[in-house]
Amino acid sequence: MFFASDNWAGAHPNIVAGLSAAAGGFATAYGDSALDQAVYQRFNEIFEREVAVFFVATGTAANSLSLTTFSKPGGISFAHRESHVIEDECGAPEYFSGGARLHAVDGALGKIDAHNLERTIGRFAPEIVHWGRPMAVSITQSTEVGTIYGLNEIETIAAIAKRHSVPLHMDGARFANALVALDTTPAEMTWKRGVDILSFGGTKNGCWCAEAIVLFDLDRAKELAFLRKRAAQLFSKSRFVAAQFEAYFKDGQWLDTARHANTMAARLAAAIEDSAHAKLAWLPQANEVFAVIKKTEAAKLQAAGAAFYDWHKPHGFDGHIGEDELLYRFVTSFATSAEEVDRFGQLIAG
Amino acid sequence: MFFASDNWAGAHPNIVAGLSAAAGGFATAYGDSALDQAVYQRFNEIFEREVAVFFVATGTAANSLSLTTFSKPGGISFAHRESHVIEDECGAPEYFSGGARLHAVDGALGKIDAHNLERTIGRFAPEIVHWGRPMAVSITQSTEVGTIYGLNEIETIAAIAKRHSVPLHMDGARFANALVALDTTPAEMTWKRGVDILSFGGTKNGCWCAEAIVLFDLDRAKELAFLRKRAAQLFSKSRFVAAQFEAYFKDGQWLDTARHANTMAARLAAAIEDSAHAKLAWLPQANEVFAVIKKTEAAKLQAAGAAFYDWHKPHGFDGHIGEDELLYRFVTSFATSAEEVDRFGQLIAG
Amino acid sequence: MFFASDNWAGAHPNIVAGLSAAAGGFATAYGDSALDQAVYQRFNEIFEREVAVFFVATGTAANSLSLTTFSKPGGISFAHRESHVIEDECGAPEYFSGGARLHAVDGALGKIDAHNLERTIGRFAPEIVHWGRPMAVSITQSTEVGTIYGLNEIETIAAIAKRHSVPLHMDGARFANALVALDTTPAEMTWKRGVDILSFGGTKNGCWCAEAIVLFDLDRAKELAFLRKRAAQLFSKSRFVAAQFEAYFKDGQWLDTARHANTMAARLAAAIEDSAHAKLAWLPQANEVFAVIKKTEAAKLQAAGAAFYDWHKPHGFDGHIGEDELLYRFVTSFATSAEEVDRFGQLIAG
Amino acid sequence: MFFASDNWAGAHPNIVAGLSAAAGGFATAYGDSALDQAVYQRFNEIFEREVAVFFVATGTAANSLSLTTFSKPGGISFAHRESHVIEDECGAPEYFSGGARLHAVDGALGKIDAHNLERTIGRFAPEIVHWGRPMAVSITQSTEVGTIYGLNEIETIAAIAKRHSVPLHMDGARFANALVALDTTPAEMTWKRGVDILSFGGTKNGCWCAEAIVLFDLDRAKELAFLRKRAAQLFSKSRFVAAQFEAYFKDGQWLDTARHANTMAARLAAAIEDSAHAKLAWLPQANEVFAVIKKTEAAKLQAAGAAFYDWHKPHGFDGHIGEDELLYRFVTSFATSAEEVDRFGQLIAG
């Protein structure tokens, strides 16, 4: 009953097999091998157009370098107040960009509110050096609290970004979970709606270590190559990432594992809804479930072997949390089994 | 006959097996799993004392964060003119440290000359803000040109660093190759001779992606934890590195693969010495061989399937390179076979 | 009727005279001249203890270097949402510190609310690298909207900072205006209440260009010397700043000019209060007056020669601003005359 | 007999008078006043074309921001080994640019040797991320050792820079001294010979604090405006710099003071040539004189009231320096009198 995080899981057997299969032989280093090239081509197919792909070591690197790609002196990026770039990356986006600021924008349940964004970004006057100036907008899909931007919502936010002449970045650490939940295509969820650069995560969805920046603005590819190397994010044996992505995409495995994780989240949510001891905080849309539970009850669950963390109340959550209660987060993954979820359901039912 | 680089090889079967074995089950993320902890303990044993270990994604990251650990405003690190930190990292050490300078020091065949170091570092007066001030000394073991610092040479350089109140960093991207060549212990080659921080590389010696910073100055461990995270070098599924290192150290495999690579280099050097078409540029001490070859001859070898690069003439090389010749580098690894070397030997003999 | 900013004024005649008097002769550069030394001593006297003084070129430099003095990886400084460091310095504090974040804290009328600060800073857990960690608290005295922290309020905020092991910085671009308004001493308003580092501004109060960092934590003085030089803020002919400060402090001139500016602000506020066309937004405590005025009326005043800017509504202002009105800011200085104020009073009365 | 540095002098009376004259009245801040605008126009006239002018606080700021204007990831600037940017700015150029490297190029007597430059810059292959890539060339006119690039030499270096697609920066801390020595025009010595950006110094030539970046590539002006503000180099009361430059340019005063300084240097050199106790190290071309003197003799001169520093032996100096001798630097300025020089001449003659 490991619901603490989707990165507590190891690697999916198919990923392991792919990695093992690629281990032998010699190949050019630093992302130029035939396998690397084939995987870049695979990304083109998946996104239905030419894209520039840059493997990096971590999601934090993907996000930080994505924003740095569009960096400028006095630059300010706009992201949700509870976004990963603001809350969980130790200031890496600011560090990588030499100090470009992240400006928190509010919105209910992990999603930037378009009106807030417009009002916030609209306050800046790009010619007044004192204030700094807009540099990028960043959204997370799916969000930190398991919600999802609809395609039209992405389009709306992209339109605001464009109106203010800044690019739209998508933090897709859980890209696949959103994709299958929306039942759409990678192209539709990104560049067709105005996304300019994407952090494409494979790690949380069954890889060991497979993160990529997908850049739609090809003119910036050459610079990003230097940015990545300078940031110590260019793997020598790059094919070890390529091999993971090859297996990840093969026969739609990435969609299967994401679907499985989402299904497990829904199953968990149903168990919580049925429980007398817990209230579902809001409806999960991807692979994260949030519930309000009595602290004593949560402690019992944890004592019985369930791993999960309490979470701070997100902006826009208007449910009641009693003095003796807390909000808790449960994350499912490719490795979550229905048996585990059901066992948890029995515990919480009780 | 792939002698282009030791990172053209994939992963050693034992590393692959170790990684596969660790893929199942759930474990805490970000370096706190039981496996991570066990590997940290293994480092303590190998270095015969408590050390602080930080896994990172690349050798460039290990070097850059090592130097940044000792960063200060106006800081200047001293490294060999042809060192990796100066020549091959796209300015990452300067970038990570917010602009701390790398100052080139000369010395024959890849090794800092102690007199040059003393003279160079001695020019600075730490209280004069205009000039900046010494911050670290960095040596590479084994060097970029396949030579090795003797233990007494390390001690001499460490003494100079200490006299000027700066730490000594060792870039150990090919640490194991030097270790077995000197037939010494990790402790003797590092902290017992005055090394304060070490980039410990596993990737070139058979891992997929296993690099670590080994910090002997434990007081700085807390800061380095933040430095690493801020630099986007903290893996979520950190156990994928731990599993590699576990297999790497098991039954002395790392020493075996390093020994093999060095042996193959010696075999290759012998073949070159015997050849009428090539001159050994200097004696290899680790897993890199340098030879002066006619361009036309080199082209023939490449056409016959041998992969290797030409190299710029290092400081202190006083051999003759004719107009129609170039200096070439040959690198061996765990994956180099005696058959390959012999096949190359036959080609070059001819 | 120039109420646009206190830096629209030139230099006070005494400052000009002091500067002229120091122009002849030779003196050591870079802050070591006898005049520089004498002025440092003067700062010691004024602050009733030994302080380390660093002249810099701008208030932005003073603030940015002050915060950078306490910089650490993942560091976060807490400042009022409408503070100068956040709103008006083009990201300089983040840039100078290599990306350390500024976290906005709310509070009414330009002052950090202590409860908000405690709650905000208390959310961080210094050992969790992902979140970053507190690095400093910064307050502005007097604030951007002409209000003043009482001595006990400074003490309360300093206590919160200390409890969380971070220093307290004071942006004193308008230090003298607050000082005379509170009728207290520099020591009482700073280190005796827990301030660790101060941006001491002379420019807005009659100097040409006289800004200093006053550091109470002397252990950090050596590092700040390097930080300043590296930041290109060490003047060669440093005595041109020293000469200004010498004249500034002589016979309490700095207190006289500040008192004059505050008196003119009060006079202006009274005129506004008497006017049928304007409402005082809140009581001015230093040299800035804010009023709600009909846009058409403001345009008339401007057409008649009054210079002033509209201002965004600060947090905690609960007065009414009609559709046809705006909030406007009026700043007085050493150069503001009673005649000007009265002329404006007549215009607005009518 | 103050020959220690040209920044030991104060300000020229005409500069003081100009500054005093501009002290009264109100004017818009941050470089937008009528006086600022008039001075920008003056720069256009002086350079015989439209230029973008940015006042900054120090020569270090001018140099660092000039290079940062052309910054790129992995960027490397080429400057003479003994240039101010490398030796005397505490790493500010690297810091401002987020780590862009300065690469030392050798050449005799403070001037980059064109062949060395070509060979050094030619080693880089702009598409190989590991090596970094050329970003700028920087020359100093007049140099740190009082020599001057001829117009054709500037042109040659500019051509190399252009061939490698990088801009040419000129550090003109002593621009006027070189200008009058060459008897040429500002346009001829800069953009007409291929200079793209210039650090234009007034401080060493009689101002208190008047440094400007003169940018010939107008497309980059908007970015530099943000760079300057973010670097805390935008003065609020900018007219205090404008007033100095106004007086500086008036009736060719800047040329007069530079000519005077150069003449004094020549007079000093003649006195040294005549002396039995000192040897002129090389012929001075601007306002710096270098001589080899016995240490005991130098000590006597200093005891008699002469202020000057010893200097390290520059690259390309092939004169003899005995065991009991040192190389010493003597700098003249607008404030150096013929009497002083002659008094020194008598001392050294004797």
Side-chain angles (χ1 to χ4, degrees):
Chain A
M1 299 181 296
F2 289 94
F3 307 122
S5 173
D6 32 12
N7 53 38
W8 281 38
H12 188 278
N14 290 354
I15 301 295
V16 174
L19 200 45
S20 302
F26 293 86
T28 46
Y30 298 114
D32 283 338
S33 77
L35 181 55
D36 289 288
Q37 302 285 354
V39 170
Y40 304 152
Q41 186 52 38
R42 207 62 196 90
F43 270 93
N44 289 344
E45 293 161 17
I46 280 167
F47 282 93
E48 303 173 38
R49 52 160 287 183
E50 192 182 350
V51 297
V53 178
F54 297 85
F55 302 152
V56 293
T58 63
T60 295
N63 289 337
S64 299
L65 287 175
S66 289
L67 293 175
T68 300
T69 299
F70 296 93
S71 189
K72 49 191 170 191
I76 300 172
S77 297
F78 301 85
H80 190 270
R81 178 176 304 283
E82 294 143 14
S83 61
H84 204 265
V85 288
I86 291 186
E87 292 215 325
D88 282 294
E89 301 187 346
C90 194
E94 291 98 328
Y95 173 59
F96 275 75
S97 61
R101 185 180 295 173
L102 291 168
H103 193 113
V105 180
D106 287 321
L109 298 179
K111 290 157 64 179
I112 286 180
D113 178 273
H115 293 290
N116 283 345
L117 176 63
E118 178 61 60
R119 198 173 51 224
T120 306
I121 205 171
R123 262 192 224 129
F124 290 86
E127 74 284 0
I128 298 186
V129 293
H130 308 271
W131 301 350
R133 51 187 169 166
M135 168 180 127
V137 174
S138 177
I139 57 174
T140 309
Q141 179 79 324
S142 62
T143 73
E144 296 303 300
V145 296
T147 55
I148 292 178
Y149 287 92
L151 298 184
N152 58 334
E153 290 177 307
I154 297 171
E155 202 163 72
T156 300
I157 285 174
I160 295 170
K162 296 299 167 282
R163 200 150 58 240
H164 293 279
S165 305
V166 297
L168 179 58
H169 165 249
M170 179 181 281
D171 174 358
R174 296 187 180 94
F175 186 85
N177 301 94
L179 191 74
V180 300
L182 288 178
D183 196 18
T184 187
T185 67
E188 287 293 341
M189 201 165 84
T190 58
W191 63 272
K192 288 192 174 175
R193 305 292 160 158
V195 172
D196 297 286
I197 194 165
L198 167 69
S199 299
F200 184 90
T203 306
K204 289 179 192 291
N205 191 29
C207 293
W208 265 131
C209 168
E211 303 288 320
I213 299 171
V214 178
L215 175 64
F216 302 110
D217 177 352
L218 300 179
D219 289 345
R220 297 190 182 250
K222 195 189 158 192
E223 286 311 293
L224 184 43
F226 278 91
L227 283 172
R228 178 179 57 169
K229 174 63 193 177
R230 188 183 61 165
Q233 293 285 340
L234 176 57
F235 287 113
S236 55
K237 296 184 176 174
S238 172
R239 61 168 145 153
F240 100 89
V241 179
Q244 292 178 72
F245 273 130
E246 189 190 41
Y248 189 67
F249 291 139
K250 198 175 172 196
D251 302 329
Q253 186 210 297
W254 67 307
L255 306 176
D256 292 345
T257 45
R259 239 177 248 119
H260 173 80
N262 290 5
T263 303
M264 290 301 105
R267 191 178 190 113
L268 188 62
I272 288 168
E273 281 215 302
D274 288 349
S275 160
H277 297 295
K279 293 171 288 184
L280 204 56
W282 54 88
L283 279 181
Q285 295 180 281
N287 68 322
E288 295 184 286
V289 181
F290 289 77
V292 177
I293 311 180
K294 275 213 175 68
K295 294 174 199 175
T296 51
E297 186 65 23
K300 272 191 236 167
L301 292 164
Q302 287 162 338
F308 56 92
Y309 290 129
D310 63 283
W311 206 253
H312 58 78
K313 208 173 80 164
H315 183 89
F317 170 63
D318 51 11
H320 178 70
I321 301 179
E323 279 291 304
D324 54 348
E325 296 176 325
L326 280 178
L327 182 68
Y328 294 92
R329 183 186 79 156
F330 300 82
V331 193
T332 56
S333 77
F334 78 93
T336 309
S337 70
E339 291 69 35
E340 277 183 296
V341 172
D342 293 348
R343 188 144 58 89
F344 181 83
Q346 285 163 359
L347 281 174
I348 205 169
Chain B
M1 299 183 296
F2 290 93
F3 307 121
S5 173
D6 32 11
N7 54 39
W8 281 38
H12 188 280
N14 289 354
I15 301 294
V16 174
L19 200 46
S20 301
F26 294 85
T28 45
Y30 298 114
D32 282 338
S33 77
L35 180 56
D36 288 287
Q37 302 286 353
V39 171
Y40 303 152
Q41 184 53 37
R42 207 62 196 90
F43 271 93
N44 289 344
E45 292 160 18
I46 281 167
F47 283 93
E48 302 173 40
R49 54 160 285 182
E50 192 181 349
V51 298
V53 177
F54 297 85
F55 302 153
V56 294
T58 63
T60 295
N63 288 338
S64 299
L65 286 175
S66 288
L67 293 175
T68 300
T69 298
F70 295 93
S71 188
K72 50 192 172 193
I76 299 172
S77 297
F78 300 86
H80 190 270
R81 178 175 303 283
E82 295 142 13
S83 61
H84 204 265
V85 289
I86 289 185
E87 292 215 324
D88 283 295
E89 301 189 344
C90 194
E94 291 98 328
Y95 173 59
F96 275 75
S97 61
R101 185 180 295 172
L102 290 167
H103 192 111
V105 180
D106 286 321
L109 298 180
K111 290 157 66 179
I112 287 180
D113 178 272
H115 292 289
N116 283 345
L117 176 63
E118 177 61 59
R119 199 174 51 225
T120 307
I121 203 171
R123 263 192 224 130
F124 289 86
E127 73 286 0
I128 297 186
V129 294
H130 308 271
W131 300 353
R133 53 185 168 168
M135 169 180 125
V137 174
S138 177
I139 57 174
T140 309
Q141 178 81 321
S142 61
T143 73
E144 296 303 301
V145 295
T147 54
I148 292 179
Y149 288 92
L151 297 186
N152 58 333
E153 291 178 308
I154 297 171
E155 202 163 72
T156 300
I157 285 174
I160 295 170
K162 295 301 166 282
R163 199 150 59 240
H164 293 279
S165 306
V166 298
L168 178 59
H169 166 248
M170 178 181 280
D171 174 358
R174 296 187 179 95
F175 185 85
N177 301 94
L179 191 73
V180 298
L182 288 178
D183 195 18
T184 186
T185 66
E188 287 292 341
M189 202 166 83
T190 57
W191 62 273
K192 286 191 175 176
R193 303 292 160 160
V195 172
D196 296 287
I197 194 164
L198 167 68
S199 299
F200 184 90
T203 305
K204 288 180 192 291
N205 191 27
C207 293
W208 265 130
C209 167
E211 302 289 320
I213 299 170
V214 178
L215 175 64
F216 302 109
D217 177 352
L218 300 179
D219 289 346
R220 296 191 183 250
K222 194 189 159 191
E223 285 311 293
L224 183 44
F226 278 91
L227 283 173
R228 177 178 59 168
K229 173 63 192 176
R230 187 183 61 165
Q233 292 284 341
L234 175 58
F235 288 114
S236 55
K237 295 183 176 175
S238 171
R239 62 167 144 154
F240 100 88
V241 180
Q244 293 177 74
F245 273 129
E246 189 190 41
Y248 189 67
F249 291 137
K250 198 176 172 195
D251 301 330
Q253 186 210 298
W254 66 306
L255 305 176
D256 292 343
T257 45
R259 240 176 248 119
H260 174 80
N262 290 5
T263 303
M264 289 302 104
R267 192 179 189 113
L268 187 61
I272 288 168
E273 283 214 302
D274 287 348
S275 162
H277 297 295
K279 292 170 290 183
L280 204 56
W282 54 86
L283 280 181
Q285 296 180 279
N287 67 322
E288 295 183 287
V289 181
F290 290 76
V292 177
I293 312 180
K294 275 215 174 68
K295 294 175 200 174
T296 50
E297 187 66 23
K300 272 192 235 165
L301 293 165
Q302 286 162 339
F308 56 92
Y309 291 128
D310 63 282
W311 206 254
H312 57 78
K313 206 174 81 164
H315 183 89
F317 171 64
D318 49 11
H320 177 71
I321 301 180
E323 277 294 303
D324 54 347
E325 296 175 324
L326 280 178
L327 181 68
Y328 294 93
R329 184 187 78 158
F330 300 83
V331 194
T332 56
S333 76
F334 76 93
T336 307
S337 69
E339 290 69 33
E340 277 182 296
V341 172
D342 294 347
R343 189 145 57 90
F344 181 82
Q346 286 161 358
L347 281 174
I348 205 169
Chain C
M1 299 182 297
F2 289 94
F3 307 122
S5 172
D6 31 12
N7 52 38
W8 281 38
H12 188 278
N14 290 353
I15 301 294
V16 174
L19 200 45
S20 302
F26 294 86
T28 47
Y30 298 114
D32 282 337
S33 77
L35 180 55
D36 288 288
Q37 302 286 353
V39 170
Y40 304 152
Q41 185 52 37
R42 208 62 195 89
F43 270 94
N44 290 343
E45 292 159 19
I46 280 167
F47 282 94
E48 302 174 37
R49 52 160 287 182
E50 191 182 350
V51 297
V53 178
F54 297 85
F55 301 153
V56 294
T58 64
T60 295
N63 289 337
S64 299
L65 286 176
S66 288
L67 293 175
T68 298
T69 299
F70 296 93
S71 189
K72 50 190 171 192
I76 299 172
S77 296
F78 301 85
H80 190 271
R81 178 175 305 283
E82 295 142 14
S83 60
H84 204 265
V85 288
I86 290 186
E87 293 214 324
D88 284 295
E89 301 187 346
C90 194
E94 291 98 327
Y95 174 59
F96 275 75
S97 61
R101 185 180 294 171
L102 290 168
H103 192 112
V105 180
D106 287 320
L109 298 180
K111 289 158 66 179
I112 286 181
D113 177 272
H115 293 290
N116 283 345
L117 175 63
E118 177 62 58
R119 198 172 52 223
T120 306
I121 205 172
R123 261 192 224 131
F124 290 86
E127 72 285 1
I128 298 185
V129 293
H130 308 273
W131 301 352
R133 53 187 166 164
M135 169 179 125
V137 173
S138 177
I139 57 175
T140 309
Q141 179 79 323
S142 60
T143 74
E144 296 304 300
V145 295
T147 55
I148 292 179
Y149 287 92
L151 297 186
N152 59 334
E153 291 177 308
I154 297 171
E155 200 163 73
T156 299
I157 285 174
I160 295 170
K162 296 300 167 281
R163 200 150 58 238
H164 293 279
S165 306
V166 297
L168 178 59
H169 165 249
M170 178 181 279
D171 174 358
R174 295 185 180 96
F175 185 85
N177 301 93
L179 191 74
V180 299
L182 288 178
D183 195 18
T184 186
T185 67
E188 287 292 342
M189 202 165 85
T190 58
W191 62 273
K192 287 192 174 174
R193 304 292 160 158
V195 172
D196 297 286
I197 193 164
L198 166 69
S199 299
F200 184 90
T203 306
K204 289 179 192 291
N205 191 28
C207 293
W208 265 131
C209 167
E211 303 288 320
I213 300 170
V214 178
L215 175 64
F216 303 109
D217 177 353
L218 299 179
D219 289 345
R220 296 188 183 254
K222 194 189 158 190
E223 285 311 294
L224 185 42
F226 279 90
L227 284 172
R228 178 179 57 169
K229 174 62 193 177
R230 188 183 60 165
Q233 293 285 340
L234 175 58
F235 287 113
S236 56
K237 296 184 176 174
S238 171
R239 63 168 144 153
F240 100 89
V241 180
Q244 292 177 73
F245 273 129
E246 189 190 41
Y248 190 66
F249 291 137
K250 198 175 172 196
D251 302 330
Q253 186 210 297
W254 66 306
L255 305 176
D256 292 345
T257 46
R259 238 177 248 119
H260 174 80
N262 290 4
T263 303
M264 289 302 104
R267 191 178 188 115
L268 187 62
I272 287 169
E273 280 216 304
D274 287 349
S275 161
H277 298 295
K279 293 170 290 184
L280 204 57
W282 55 87
L283 281 182
Q285 295 180 279
N287 68 321
E288 295 183 288
V289 181
F290 290 78
V292 177
I293 311 181
K294 276 217 173 66
K295 294 174 199 176
T296 49
E297 186 66 23
K300 271 192 237 168
L301 293 164
Q302 286 162 338
F308 55 92
Y309 290 130
D310 63 283
W311 206 252
H312 58 77
K313 206 174 82 164
H315 183 89
F317 170 63
D318 50 11
H320 179 70
I321 301 179
E323 278 293 304
D324 54 348
E325 296 175 323
L326 280 178
L327 182 67
Y328 294 92
R329 183 187 78 156
F330 301 81
V331 194
T332 55
S333 76
F334 78 92
T336 308
S337 70
E339 291 67 34
E340 278 182 296
V341 173
D342 294 346
R343 188 144 57 89
F344 181 82
Q346 285 162 359
L347 281 174
I348 205 169
Chain D
M1 300 183 294
F2 290 94
F3 307 122
S5 173
D6 32 12
N7 53 39
W8 281 38
H12 188 278
N14 290 354
I15 301 294
V16 174
L19 199 45
S20 301
F26 294 85
T28 46
Y30 298 114
D32 282 337
S33 78
L35 180 55
D36 288 287
Q37 303 285 354
V39 171
Y40 304 152
Q41 185 51 37
R42 208 60 196 90
F43 271 94
N44 289 343
E45 292 161 17
I46 281 168
F47 283 93
E48 302 173 39
R49 52 161 287 184
E50 192 182 351
V51 298
V53 178
F54 297 86
F55 302 152
V56 293
T58 63
T60 295
N63 288 337
S64 300
L65 286 175
S66 289
L67 294 175
T68 299
T69 298
F70 295 93
S71 189
K72 48 191 171 192
I76 299 173
S77 297
F78 301 85
H80 190 271
R81 179 176 302 284
E82 295 143 13
S83 61
H84 204 265
V85 288
I86 290 187
E87 292 215 324
D88 282 296
E89 301 188 346
C90 193
E94 293 98 326
Y95 173 58
F96 275 74
S97 61
R101 186 180 295 172
L102 290 168
H103 193 113
V105 180
D106 286 322
L109 297 180
K111 289 158 65 179
I112 287 180
D113 177 272
H115 293 290
N116 284 345
L117 177 64
E118 177 60 59
R119 198 173 52 225
T120 306
I121 204 171
R123 264 192 223 129
F124 290 87
E127 72 285 1
I128 297 186
V129 294
H130 308 272
W131 300 352
R133 52 185 169 168
M135 168 180 126
V137 173
S138 177
I139 57 174
T140 308
Q141 180 79 322
S142 63
T143 73
E144 296 303 302
V145 295
T147 55
I148 292 179
Y149 288 91
L151 297 185
N152 58 334
E153 291 177 307
I154 297 171
E155 202 163 71
T156 300
I157 285 174
I160 296 170
K162 294 301 166 283
R163 200 151 58 241
H164 293 278
S165 306
V166 298
L168 179 58
H169 165 249
M170 178 182 280
D171 173 358
R174 295 186 179 95
F175 185 85
N177 301 93
L179 190 73
V180 298
L182 289 178
D183 195 18
T184 186
T185 68
E188 287 293 342
M189 201 166 83
T190 58
W191 63 272
K192 287 191 175 177
R193 304 291 161 159
V195 173
D196 297 286
I197 193 163
L198 166 69
S199 299
F200 183 91
T203 306
K204 289 180 193 289
N205 190 28
C207 293
W208 265 130
C209 167
E211 303 288 320
I213 299 170
V214 178
L215 175 64
F216 302 110
D217 177 352
L218 299 179
D219 289 345
R220 296 190 183 250
K222 195 189 159 192
E223 286 311 292
L224 184 44
F226 278 91
L227 283 173
R228 178 179 57 169
K229 174 61 193 177
R230 187 183 61 164
Q233 293 284 342
L234 175 57
F235 287 113
S236 55
K237 296 183 176 175
S238 171
R239 63 166 143 153
F240 99 90
V241 180
Q244 293 178 73
F245 273 128
E246 189 190 40
Y248 189 68
F249 291 137
K250 199 175 174 195
D251 301 330
Q253 186 210 296
W254 65 307
L255 306 176
D256 292 344
T257 45
R259 239 177 249 120
H260 174 80
N262 290 4
T263 303
M264 289 302 105
R267 191 177 190 114
L268 187 62
I272 287 169
E273 282 215 302
D274 287 348
S275 162
H277 298 295
K279 292 172 289 185
L280 204 56
W282 54 88
L283 280 181
Q285 296 180 279
N287 68 322
E288 295 183 286
V289 181
F290 290 76
V292 177
I293 311 180
K294 275 217 174 66
K295 294 175 199 175
T296 49
E297 187 66 23
K300 271 191 237 167
L301 292 164
Q302 286 163 338
F308 55 93
Y309 291 128
D310 63 283
W311 206 253
H312 57 78
K313 206 174 81 163
H315 184 89
F317 169 64
D318 50 12
H320 178 71
I321 301 180
E323 277 293 304
D324 55 346
E325 295 175 325
L326 280 178
L327 181 68
Y328 295 92
R329 184 186 77 157
F330 300 82
V331 194
T332 55
S333 76
F334 77 94
T336 308
S337 69
E339 291 70 32
E340 275 182 297
V341 172
D342 294 346
R343 187 145 57 92
F344 181 83
Q346 286 163 357
L347 281 174
I348 205 169

